[in-house]
Amino acid sequence: MPTPPTTEQLKKLAKLVRYYILTSTTRAGSGHPSSSLSATDLMTGLIFGGVFRFDASDPHHPNNDRIIFSKGHASPLFYAMWAAAGQVSFDELMTMRKFGSRLEGHPTIAFPFAEASTGSLGQGLSIGLGMALNAKYLDGLHYRTYVLLGDSEMAEGSQWEAIQVAAHYKLNNLVGIIDVNRLGQRGETMYGHDLKAYEQRIAPFGWETIIIDGHDFDEILHAFDKASTSVEKPVMIIARTIKGKGVSFIEDKNGWHGKTLDREQLVQALTELGDVERSVIGEIPGPDDAKPKIIQPRSIKDPDYPPGKPVATRRAYGNALTRIFDKFPDIVAIDGEVSNSTYSELFKTKFPGRFFEMYIAEQNMAGCAAGLAARGKIPFVSTFAAFFTRAFDQIRMSEYSKSNIKFIGSHAGVSIGQDGPSQMGLEDIAMFRTLLDGVVLYPCDAVSTERLVEKAAVHRGIVYIRTTRMDTPILYSFNEEFVIGGSKVLRMSGKDQFTIITAGVTVFEALAAFEILKKEGILLRVIDLYSIKPLDLDTLQEAAQATKAIITVEDHYAEGGLGEAVRGALHAEKTPVHILAVRKMPKSGTPEELLDYEGILKNSIIKKVKEIL
Amino acid sequence: MPTPPTTEQLKKLAKLVRYYILTSTTRAGSGHPSSSLSATDLMTGLIFGGVFRFDASDPHHPNNDRIIFSKGHASPLFYAMWAAAGQVSFDELMTMRKFGSRLEGHPTIAFPFAEASTGSLGQGLSIGLGMALNAKYLDGLHYRTYVLLGDSEMAEGSQWEAIQVAAHYKLNNLVGIIDVNRLGQRGETMYGHDLKAYEQRIAPFGWETIIIDGHDFDEILHAFDKASTSVEKPVMIIARTIKGKGVSFIEDKNGWHGKTLDREQLVQALTELGDVERSVIGEIPGPDDAKPKIIQPRSIKDPDYPPGKPVATRRAYGNALTRIFDKFPDIVAIDGEVSNSTYSELFKTKFPGRFFEMYIAEQNMAGCAAGLAARGKIPFVSTFAAFFTRAFDQIRMSEYSKSNIKFIGSHAGVSIGQDGPSQMGLEDIAMFRTLLDGVVLYPCDAVSTERLVEKAAVHRGIVYIRTTRMDTPILYSFNEEFVIGGSKVLRMSGKDQFTIITAGVTVFEALAAFEILKKEGILLRVIDLYSIKPLDLDTLQEAAQATKAIITVEDHYAEGGLGEAVRGALHAEKTPVHILAVRKMPKSGTPEELLDYEGILKNSIIKKVKEIL
């Protein structure tokens, strides 16, 4: 382990880092030098000051300390730091922001030292919370998680969600560093350079706070040392910094956010900077070679539901998660204070050590899941389907981190009944379908839910499972096979005239319509499209070619839902696709009244069939 | 003005309110009696204690005090209160949660005394903030805005966004009341009955805090009196309450959230309650008959852009808002700390009194807009398109309040270039399309942007306008007509083989492809579908019938975007609709490199045409 560097050595390194920031941003012609320069001394002190322990040859070492740039626009600093550590060449630095470079405008996981893709503000602390939670309660490792925060982004509510929850779980291994450079994008922040304003607000939440001059290495090193001794509290280092520090003509000046120096200004800035020792390399002590205990997967039982007794798919989710844990010991469940509605409480009761209450704070919950996933866990995240809209930005960003997260949304659709629109998930399919590699599953019965929860655990990536509030009949036997991208043809004959494609609660409306129309001699093909993304193209095309028309039925708004997905899959077919979906302002009522009102009840299906007959 | 009631009279009223809560919820068979009972004395004291001033015969009186139930699940209390005020009959109370009743499971604007539809937690304070902002800075009225908050929902970050911004604007006319009943849905909250925990966290943000026993009328009345004297600070009343107060066998007991009493339990509860005077009517003093000054609309100039000089549509938005203000004096602009990127700063510079900086806190910004809209303003809300995902839940709820809000999202698509995916709006069309009556507009040049901003101001309801970062050529002359639901056929002939339907930045790619293919004798019809929802069915159908195939092009993910909207409109036509959209993980690069990479550049259009030729 190297001896900690002297202040002189750190100053040399900081100078080199500034040199890299200025040259790389001017070369790129865009980016955020001023926001990088304000945090340069803080990050140099952290990474090269001796407290941060990291094996650069193995960025994924389970016991590495973690550094997350929540203020992702300081990416020039992030890359410059790793250049100073000898991990990025000067030539590569010069590719920053160019097409194909690992060094993107904001950090992405294309760069191996990025713990997560960041850039949408107010997310890093939640991701760090997930990593700290993992170290303290799951892996039992001593790595510490550091998060560089901008002062502007402290306005984001998600920060305060993370601040509350981190204190609740006593995450003394989580260290936030606020780079208080006073200036936001378009002017001064709410609190400017009033560091006490941050301390007074954060400390009462149960955080240790340390106020420092963010350009004084003695104070910086002392702060990180102190932070590493916190016993029960997470630590927030609140640092007074100067935006553009080191370049006199942009220092603390408004109008320099996200603005690079032109060639002349660069020459002037580098002259001010003075001689730079390009040869110095910042050293980083390695971590103790500790590893998490590996729990061996064990075999599990099949689901078992008596055919006669209806069960809500949300309850089946809770049963499934509990049942499959032995086979997937990396599973962790988190929930937004509704575990008795989503039934994640069944898992919590059986495996209390693998469940974390996230309270009513969905943004932080989603960010925390990304942190857990980055540390190799399989987070199952549950709340009402409607309330995932709260975390759309975090969900969107977790896709850019290729996070392995499972989101389970209960209380989908108008079929929840009396509680009314505020509680109805009617945009969730559309929202999760926009995720590039996202999977969207919507099982109709307990057995398919159990099987799909298991498939979700196997699949690497983001999976959304939509569950239903009301009990639904058991449709499938436990030995039926369900796969991501699959479907089930429930009714089929050589004489089918129309195809009903649906999923979830309306599958039973389609089956009921089938029986009634059959008596009238009208035969329907009925398909349970439990996998909405990806979807079973072959089966859908076969149905399109075999029948005169397709009618999709969904307890979701028409826009972006199952119907539009089916139309996409069948756009090359001539068969018309009619969409029955929620199109009127929902209200309170019984599930049946509301399904009827929205035209997705069995009689609406029958009506539609006769209309196009 | 009636003399303030005695404590005895208030107790009588509270008893009646409890009677209504218990009978109506048992009758409904679902709902939240326990969460209503905890806040009964607080609300009885507020509404009937003399401080609250409201003309029940005119719920929309501009100078009425406002009461918002952020904890919307306490709707039984909300309705019972108005029943006690003589505004809801006992018979109507018995219709609560029934299909067609104004008394929905959570308050909606179907009930005239509801200022907004609530039920998704953590939104009421932001809505109240918008109303308070309106009173103090816009209408110059003395009405006060009260928000009933649950203790569980204080975990939501949006609350802390509102707490920061309300203090920043010194909204001493905003009063929050936290009903600290200790129990959330599935157990105890983070702070239980520790009232100081709330005070210590909220006061440092610049709020006046008052801790009281939420069941002691003397303390309640005194708190509201004190709250009404605050000079500069918003006020938070932190009340210790008992969940289920008044029904001994559910008081402070877990497992009674969202659970109603059965008949027997009701009888027992009513026996405990004792004699109820059904005849008492709570009196509410009326407001001073003050009204906001009406500013007469004035005529405005036409937009004027020299044809030769490209202008970014985001800049045209700023120009437009500034230009049309005289004609629409109810306009207010708010922005999420990016006004120099969205160009709302142009409006701010010209009309500083009509612009409010909302800082980087999008959830509160959207909630604030709903509050402003409820008070008759036309809020224009701007940030990066990507960051509206942050406020999806608030946006979703504002639709249920039929709010008149205009959202303007800049930096749409991969065409923003080097900043990378975190800053790219690629889900925004899908998100806003899910709004039932939402309008989605995506202009390609400055002139159409100017015209559509004007149309958005005229339209009542939610309108989303998508703008572009880069400069684009001026395509239209100032006398062209643009309407919601319209489109422009840019290229057309009798011999068109294919139709390109696009909007925004890719319109110019389509026009370039047209020129190249024309030389090869392949004629295209090119349609600028600037109104994506609603869309111009006639023009699309005509194109579908006149040409062999349709190709849609959009700088947005394929799911839920323009292409799926077009497929929906043309599902009855046999003409195939091919979608060119963003389908690969975006990265940093030049706009052209990225449009090319995603297959939405002119050459991708040409390739597609030749493929299907």
Side-chain angles (χ1 to χ4, degrees), chain A residues 298-480:
Chain A
R298 287 181 288 149
S299 64
I300 55 173
K301 294 200 314 301
D302 278 320
D304 177 22
Y305 294 92
K309 192 172 169 304
V311 177
T313 55
R314 58 182 173 134
R315 180 184 290 273
Y317 160 65
N319 294 337
L321 201 63
T322 312
R323 182 179 63 85
I324 69 171
F325 178 71
D326 285 346
K327 187 172 171 184
F328 305 95
D330 291 327
I331 286 175
V332 178
I334 58 181
D335 189 280
E337 229 269 66
V338 288
S339 55
N340 55 336
S341 291
T342 60
Y343 282 103
S344 60
E345 74 174 4
L346 298 175
F347 179 86
K348 172 191 179 182
T349 307
K350 186 100 185 280
F351 307 104
R354 307 291 298 190
F355 177 94
F356 297 92
E357 179 55 65
M358 289 287 122
Y359 297 93
I360 307 181
E362 297 79 9
Q363 294 198 353
N364 177 65
M365 177 165 68
C368 170
L372 288 167
R375 300 312 320 130
K377 299 301 173 288
I378 310 175
F380 276 73
V381 185
S382 52
T383 184
F384 283 27
F387 304 147
F388 277 125
T389 54
R390 201 79 170 220
F392 193 8
D393 194 33
Q394 281 78 3
I395 292 166
R396 174 182 80 90
M397 288 302 296
S398 65
E399 178 71 10
Y400 296 138
S401 291
K402 295 197 170 297
S403 303
N404 184 28
I405 307 175
K406 320 304 159 184
F407 295 98
I408 287 76
S410 70
H411 294 67
V414 299
S415 59
I416 70 164
Q418 289 78 358
D419 273 335
S422 67
Q423 315 294 303
M424 296 171 175
L426 290 164
E427 313 82 357
D428 52 320
I429 295 175
M431 179 171 78
F432 281 100
R433 275 186 70 230
T434 63
L435 303 180
L436 267 184
D437 303 318
V439 170
V440 178
L441 306 173
Y442 184 19
C444 67
D445 84 335
V447 173
S448 50
T449 304
E450 288 261 5
R451 292 309 189 186
L452 289 170
V453 169
E454 195 167 345
K455 285 291 192 295
V458 174
H459 179 85
R460 280 199 65 80
I462 295 176
V463 178
Y464 175 60
I465 302 178
R466 185 179 213 229
T467 68
T468 300
R469 178 175 186 273
M470 65 164 88
D471 291 337
T472 52
I474 304 298
L475 193 63
Y476 298 107
S477 85
F478 74 92
N479 48 25
E480 289 255 13

Side-chain angles (χ1 to χ4, degrees), chain B residues 331-376:
Chain B
I331 286 177
V332 178
I334 59 180
D335 188 280
E337 227 268 67
V338 288
S339 55
N340 54 336
S341 290
T342 60
Y343 282 104
S344 61
E345 74 172 4
L346 297 175
F347 179 86
K348 173 190 177 183
T349 308
K350 186 98 186 277
F351 307 105
R354 307 292 297 191
F355 178 94
F356 297 93
E357 179 56 64
M358 289 286 122
Y359 297 94
I360 307 180
E362 297 79 7
Q363 294 198 344
N364 177 66
M365 177 165 68
C368 170
L372 288 166
R375 299 313 319 129

Side-chain angles (χ1 to χ4, degrees), chain B residues 487-530:
Chain B
S487 72
K488 290 284 177 190
V489 179
L490 299 175
R491 299 288 184 273
M492 184 175 179
S493 78
K495 301 192 289 309
D496 298 337
Q497 296 187 62
F498 305 100
T499 303
I500 312 298
I501 301 173
T502 184
V505 68
T506 46
V507 164
F508 303 95
E509 300 303 322
L511 292 174
F514 170 88
E515 294 304 332
I516 294 163
L517 288 170
K518 191 177 165 200
K519 292 193 184 70
E520 306 179 20
I522 303 168
L523 288 173
L524 302 178
R525 181 168 304 186
V526 178
I527 297 173
D528 173 6
L529 193 69
Y530 61 79

Side-chain angles (χ1 to χ4, degrees), chain B residues 137-152:
Chain B
Y137 294 99
L138 298 170
D139 284 354
L141 293 173
H142 294 298
Y143 71 81
R144 230 173 267 113
T145 303
Y146 298 89
V147 182
L148 177 65
L149 300 155
D151 48 357
S152 280

Side-chain angles (χ1 to χ4, degrees), chain A residues 525-541:
Chain A
R525 180 167 305 186
V526 179
I527 298 174
D528 172 7
L529 192 68
Y530 60 80
S531 179
I532 296 174
K533 182 181 180 182
L535 39 67
D536 182 355
L537 198 52
D538 296 348
T539 304
L540 298 192
Q541 281 173 339

Side-chain angles (χ1 to χ4, degrees), chain B residues 237-387:
Chain B
I237 295 171
I238 303 160
R240 186 182 196 285
T241 63
I242 303 296
K243 198 162 182 171
K245 177 71 174 181
V247 180
S248 62
F249 53 93
I250 71 170
E251 275 189 3
D252 200 36
K253 282 201 176 52
N254 201 7
W256 275 96
H257 181 96
K259 208 168 147 199
T260 59
L261 306 184
D262 63 28
R263 295 255 158 237
E264 278 174 35
Q265 292 164 327
L266 176 63
V267 172
Q268 190 183 340
L270 294 182
T271 315
E272 278 188 13
L273 200 60
D275 295 339
V276 175
E277 253 183 71
R278 295 272 302 263
S279 60
V280 293
I281 293 286
E283 289 198 63
I284 309 173
D288 305 334
D289 196 23
K291 292 198 166 22
K293 198 159 117 288
I294 305 293
I295 311 153
Q296 290 308 324
R298 287 181 288 148
S299 63
I300 55 173
K301 294 198 315 300
D302 279 318
D304 178 24
Y305 293 91
K309 190 172 170 304
V311 177
T313 54
R314 59 182 171 132
R315 181 185 290 272
Y317 161 65
N319 294 338
L321 201 63
T322 312
R323 181 179 63 84
I324 68 171
F325 178 70
D326 284 345
K327 187 173 173 185
F328 304 95
D330 290 328
I331 286 177
V332 178
I334 59 180
D335 188 280
E337 227 268 67
V338 288
S339 55
N340 54 336
S341 290
T342 60
Y343 282 104
S344 61
E345 74 172 4
L346 297 175
F347 179 86
K348 173 190 177 183
T349 308
K350 186 98 186 277
F351 307 105
R354 307 292 297 191
F355 178 94
F356 297 93
E357 179 56 64
M358 289 286 122
Y359 297 94
I360 307 180
E362 297 79 7
Q363 294 198 344
N364 177 66
M365 177 165 68
C368 170
L372 288 166
R375 299 313 319 129
K377 299 302 173 288
I378 309 175
F380 276 73
V381 185
S382 51
T383 184
F384 284 26
F387 305 146

